[in-house]
Amino acid sequence: PYLALNAADCVELQVEEGATIELLIAGLTIRVPVSIRPDLPKGVAGLPAGLPGLQGIQLPVWSGVKRI
């Protein structure tokens, strides 16, 4: 699993491609690497559906993102 982010959001969060970040989703804490996706609008994050470690997450959902 990974979290896809726009390059501008990565600059704002001070994270680079491959950096591990923490997602807070519906009471769950998940650590995933960052994948830069220039096609995503600023302020939107993407999670791939159905990958191991991401089952049971109902999308779309508001989430917090934290650099670790």
Side-chain angles (χ1 to χ4, degrees):
Y2 61 89
L3 180 73
L5 292 173
N6 176 288
D9 288 322
C10 287
V11 169
E12 192 173 300
L13 290 168
Q14 300 178 4
V15 296
E16 297 179 357
E17 176 98 24
T20 300
I21 62 165
E22 206 170 71
L23 298 175
L24 309 171
I25 302 175
L28 299 172
T29 301
I30 302 167
R31 290 183 177 192
V32 291
V34 171
S35 176
I36 296 176
R37 296 284 307 268
D39 54 321
L40 282 175
K42 185 173 180 349
V44 174
L47 280 175
L51 288 182
L54 299 178
Q55 301 95 333
I57 297 174
Q58 299 295 316
L59 299 175
V61 65
W62 287 101
S63 172
V65 177
K66 180 178 160 186
R67 184 174 64 121
I68 56 171

